[in-house]
Amino acid sequence: MKALVVIAHPLEDSLCQHLASKAVESLELQGYQVEVKNLYQQQFEPRLLTQERQSYYAEQFEQSHLEAELAELKQADHLVLVFPTWWFGFPAILKGWFDRVWAPSHAFNHAHDLGAITPLLHNLKQVTAITSLG
């Protein structure tokens, strides 16, 4: 079993970082192989690139800048998101991760005609959100 822990807090000594380390420890005790993605530490680029957005409805999504991120997401059985709640939502860097990595033909297929959007992340059996406020 594989778990992907995505951390979206800029401070290394934050409560979110502490909670993330406890989550990793717990997951490992449960037998998960844990991959940690610290968006700030890895300097994740949150802005959706022009060529990525232009390819949203194309036959092939432009994924050349996202190969590693897409692979991490598609291999995870359990996704853990660790982030502070800022202005009633999550940090911009996490929103950018969703915008870029939860991409068409990877996380979902677009609705055609009047059909529904179809999910593609069938590998995910569990999603956990750990957040702080204040």
Side-chain angles (χ1 to χ4, degrees), residues 15-77:
L15 176 59
C16 282
Q17 297 289 350
H18 174 75
L19 295 172
S21 70
K22 292 297 182 185
V24 168
E25 184 180 305
S26 175
L27 289 164
E28 288 175 343
L29 286 172
Q30 294 174 59
Y32 280 93
Q33 177 185 344
V34 180
E35 178 78 27
V36 175
K37 180 155 202 71
N38 186 322
L39 297 176
Y40 282 95
Q41 190 177 69
Q42 296 174 5
Q43 297 182 347
F44 178 77
E45 172 56 68
R47 293 175 297 174
L48 186 65
L49 303 179
T50 302
Q51 59 267 41
E52 291 168 357
R53 183 60 184 101
Q54 288 173 335
S55 72
Y56 249 55
Y57 294 96
E59 205 167 304
Q60 180 64 38
F61 176 72
E62 170 49 54
Q63 63 191 45
S64 62
H65 296 93
L66 299 168
E67 298 290 342
E69 289 83 1
L70 290 166
E72 289 168 342
L73 181 60
K74 290 178 177 181
Q75 292 170 9
D77 299 296

Side-chain angles (χ1 to χ4, degrees), residues 7-17 38-43 82-86 90-94 132:
I7 305 168
H9 197 290
L11 303 178
E12 289 297 318
D13 62 347
S14 68
L15 176 59
C16 282
Q17 297 289 350
N38 186 322
L39 297 176
Y40 282 95
Q41 190 177 69
Q42 296 174 5
Q43 297 182 347
V82 185
F83 59 93
T85 300
W86 289 342
F90 37 75
I93 199 166
L94 183 56
S132 62

